[in-house]
Amino acid sequence: MSFHRTTSFSLTLALLALTLFSCQPNGPKSDNKTAQNNTPTTAKSDWWKEAVVYQIYPRSFQDSDGDGLGDFKGSISRLDYVKNLGVDMVWLNPVYASPNKDNGYDISDYQNIMKEFGTMEDFDRLLNGFHERKIKVFMDLVVNHCSNEHEWFKSASASRESPYYNYFHWWPAENGKPPYRWSIFDEKGDAWEYNKATNSYYLHYFSDYQPDLNWENPKLREEIYKMMRFWLDKGIDGFRLDAIAFCSKDTNWPPLPEQYKGNWGMYYANGPHLHEYMQEMNREVFSKYNIATVAEALGDVEGVMKFVDPERKELNMAYSFEAIDFGYLPKEYKMPDPKGYDLVAWKKIYEKWTNAFETKGWGTMYLANHDQPRMLTRWGNDSPEFRDVSSKMLTTFVLSMRGTPYYYYGDEIGMNNIKFDKVEEYNDIELLTNYAQVKAKGGDLKRFLEGMKISSRDNGRTPMQWDNTLNSGFSTGAPWLKVNPNYTTVNVAAQQNDPASNLNYFRKMIQLRKNTPALIHGDWELIDAENPDVFAYLRTLDGKKVAVFLNFKAKQSTVRTDLDLTKAKVLLGNYTDPSATVTLRPYEALVLEL
Ligand code: GLC
């Protein structure tokens, strides 16, 4: 999701932390029911710090039955592919029963499987398949809201007497209009929707198909914990906590302060009891299993640290949004700045967050996911000349930073944005809502669509490009979202056996991270911070030093440093003939042991 608003409230949401998951070391069913692992100071409980996470968007990964939508049987047929990448954990986007208004982020039954993906037995086979290959699995936990088709909401919206009425937030209409709240995926921009049967308004921070659950109700929280235990008892290895920063609300509904404009996330997120609930969830659920958790959180470094400070016993990891939301024009919905992004300022954001997590807690590193465009287009250069080398440079970046790397399916082969021309080609509720809002205000739709070619979420959701056969080998039927036409050349089959391919570079970089403790646990320090073209840093552990030089520009650039490179050894580079030098070719990446 993005928290930018179409016009007056752009957001600079400082950060959304995704609380990640946890998984047990060996995978098999029930092994996760051992010790509490939320004391991340011992090697055993720190396994998630050393892991590389690969995110699979199941609806776009592999279809098995020709309906154009990915499914479990399809993913099962790709288990060995995932194994051969060398990753340790897989994050699956939501797989629960859902009417799919927001592609599974609107859950109608938390303990059942989305019928398009298969059955619970298919899910079990997929889970076991990963575990047999020593890959852990985390699930997306979407509990700030559910679907309006969930039985709880169906009952609650039928009568104020329903035992589920208080599972949601309501404003009785006899009290007049509810205090204004803004909704992310609502065309009218109004988070309160009138419900006739109860003569009250219900709250939805996302679309009106996604009513917010009332976390202030202990019964609701107990239901959620029960449901979490159901999945953990099945053997899953952890959770990514979706939009969790929103779950606690100030139910006095005070008027929004003026500063709300431009940063509404700060006023909606981190409600009064959020961290009490996280600690309760830890006590009631996480502490009983050897799992990992990651939060999608909002706020500044201090706020996000609350989720992951081990002493607080909440979650293990968190995502920050400040870096990923960088480089958009202010006060507009994800419109890229035509001047590009300022690398020096971007590096400072990483410095702030990385330094904070060096003192306590643990961070994450990602450049893409299902809410973002493809990293190659957004942060690299997808022109024919530079796509290969800049994609490898970004892979080097993600896998050499401090913090658990989250790597998005398809980035390993250098998939890039599809850049749709017409609004009809899009599927995403966020894009369609924002388009409708721009249209309603008489805004410049052409300009909006141009911007979306860079930033829209659907760019990152196109089907996996397996080979050059029909629909990239993803499906024999018409895919739910168009396949990028470059699949004929950019695909797994073409790269599988080419030692110089993006795919094999990704594998090598994973192995390098695993074999180089300084890249995982080492301190992190910027080199040549003011260099406008190069992102360079030093990782140090027990006297071992590894320097990483990344040229983010399409021209030769030089790192200014006093480091002695005369004895440096090149551990990996993205050109075929790398040498230990400060003069970098366009988009060159070098990992040097000093
Ligand atoms: C999270 C998800 C996003 C979804 C939103 C609402 O941000 O990552 O995909 O649209 O929550 O559930």
Side-chain angles (χ1 to χ4, degrees), residues 161-206:
E161 305 310 316
S162 158
Y164 297 108
Y165 187 74
N166 284 327
Y167 277 32
F168 298 89
H169 291 287
W170 297 96
W171 181 270
E174 60 269 24
N175 295 348
K177 284 261 179 213
Y180 177 67
R181 287 295 181 275
W182 182 64
S183 155
I184 303 180
F185 297 160
D186 184 80
E187 278 185 35
K188 303 182 297 292
D190 186 353
W192 291 104
E193 183 74 16
Y194 181 68
N195 172 251
K196 197 155 170 240
T198 57
N199 189 32
S200 33
Y201 297 82
Y202 67 90
L203 185 76
H204 60 92
Y205 278 180
F206 294 88

Side-chain angles (χ1 to χ4, degrees), residues 1-3 16 18 55 57 91 93-94 102-106 140 142-145 184-185 205-207 210 240-244 246 296 321 369-371 428-430 457 461:
M1 94 186 123
S2 165
F3 295 88
L16 221 49
L18 290 175
Q55 182 186 351
Y57 197 63
W91 153 20
N93 288 95
D102 186 19
N103 293 356
Y105 285 91
D106 46 325
D140 230 307
V142 188
V143 288
N144 171 68
H145 46 271
I184 303 180
F185 297 160
Y205 278 180
F206 294 88
S207 75
Q210 295 166 293
R240 170 223 183 224
L241 281 78
D242 180 75
I244 198 69
F246 295 116
E296 183 178 41
F321 274 65
N369 63 33
H370 66 291
D371 290 335
D428 177 22
I429 188 170
E430 184 181 47
R457 308 198 292 184
R461 297 176 176 184

Side-chain angles (χ1 to χ4, degrees), residues 264-527:
W264 72 276
M266 296 297 281
Y267 296 94
Y268 279 25
N270 306 320
H273 303 292
L274 171 66
H275 293 284
E276 275 165 49
Y277 300 156
M278 294 303 102
Q279 287 167 11
E280 181 183 80
M281 195 188 278
N282 185 301
R283 261 193 327 272
E284 296 292 318
V285 187
F286 302 151
S287 63
K288 317 248 192 296
Y289 301 84
N290 182 16
I291 59 162
T293 50
V294 61
E296 183 178 41
L298 277 164
D300 54 14
V301 174
E302 254 175 41
V304 172
M305 186 59 86
K306 286 191 181 156
F307 284 103
V308 298
D309 176 350
E311 286 181 8
R312 296 173 57 88
K313 295 198 179 357
E314 297 187 15
L315 307 168
N316 300 128
M317 294 174 265
Y319 282 43
S320 110
F321 274 65
E322 198 180 352
I324 205 87
D325 278 341
F326 187 73
Y328 291 132
L329 292 173
K331 300 197 191 294
E332 288 192 75
Y333 170 73
K334 294 204 294 190
M335 289 299 284
D337 188 331
K339 294 199 294 290
Y341 62 95
D342 172 356
L343 189 73
V344 174
W346 200 51
K347 287 191 279 188
K348 287 189 176 149
I349 298 173
Y350 280 103
E351 184 177 40
K352 179 174 67 179
W353 285 91
T354 311
N355 285 347
F357 290 126
E358 244 176 53
T359 58
K360 58 184 168 181
W362 190 251
T364 59
M365 176 63 202
Y366 72 108
L367 286 179
N369 63 33
H370 66 291
D371 290 335
Q372 303 295 333
R374 284 282 164 192
M375 72 173 185
L376 174 58
T377 306
R378 171 96 155 97
W379 304 108
N381 184 329
D382 63 10
S383 69
E385 191 182 357
F386 294 121
R387 55 168 302 122
D388 183 72
V389 76
S390 73
S391 164
K392 290 173 182 163
M393 185 274 288
L394 296 171
T395 293
T396 317
F397 182 37
V398 176
L399 289 161
S400 63
M401 286 290 281
R402 202 167 187 283
T404 299
Y406 285 77
Y407 199 90
Y408 192 49
Y409 87 93
D411 284 348
E412 71 274 26
I413 54 166
M415 281 173 62
N416 60 303
N417 281 10
I418 190 162
K419 304 179 186 167
F420 289 132
D421 283 316
K422 300 192 212 93
V423 68
E424 293 75 29
E425 292 174 298
Y426 284 97
N427 164 279
D428 177 22
I429 188 170
E430 184 181 47
L431 178 295
L432 298 174
T433 307
N434 283 286
Y435 181 87
Q437 289 180 348
V438 175
K439 193 171 175 191
K441 291 193 181 111
D444 186 342
L445 289 168
K446 205 164 158 242
R447 178 172 173 274
F448 173 80
L449 286 178
E450 275 310 300
M452 294 307 102
K453 287 183 180 176
I454 302 299
S455 63
S456 110
R457 308 198 292 184
D458 276 347
N459 283 304
R461 297 176 176 184
T462 59
M464 181 65 173
Q465 297 170 203
W466 294 107
D467 55 40
N468 63 4
T469 64
L470 176 72
N471 301 323
S472 71
F474 162 70
S475 174
T476 52
W480 72 280
L481 195 64
K482 269 193 187 165
V483 179
N484 193 317
N486 69 13
Y487 79 87
T488 49
T489 52
V490 179
N491 63 59
V492 171
Q495 298 191 17
Q496 196 68 276
N497 300 318
D498 172 4
S501 67
N502 280 279
L503 178 57
N504 282 310
Y505 188 85
F506 175 58
R507 292 175 173 142
K508 277 185 226 157
M509 193 57 218
I510 291 182
Q511 290 317 313
L512 181 62
R513 184 177 177 90
K514 288 190 183 303
N515 298 330
T516 316
L519 288 181
I520 301 171
H521 296 288
D523 290 347
W524 182 95
E525 194 190 338
L526 266 182
I527 299 169

Side-chain angles (χ1 to χ4, degrees), residues 203-221:
L203 185 76
H204 60 92
Y205 278 180
F206 294 88
S207 75
D208 53 359
Y209 301 106
Q210 295 166 293
D212 280 43
L213 289 163
N214 178 9
W215 274 71
E216 319 307 327
N217 179 350
K219 271 180 88 176
L220 177 272
R221 300 203 300 277

Side-chain angles (χ1 to χ4, degrees), residues 13-31:
L13 253 203
L15 28 105
L16 221 49
L18 290 175
T19 332
L20 239 17
F21 351 21
S22 68
C23 317
Q24 78 270 39
N26 295 318
K29 228 172 162 176
S30 303
D31 273 13

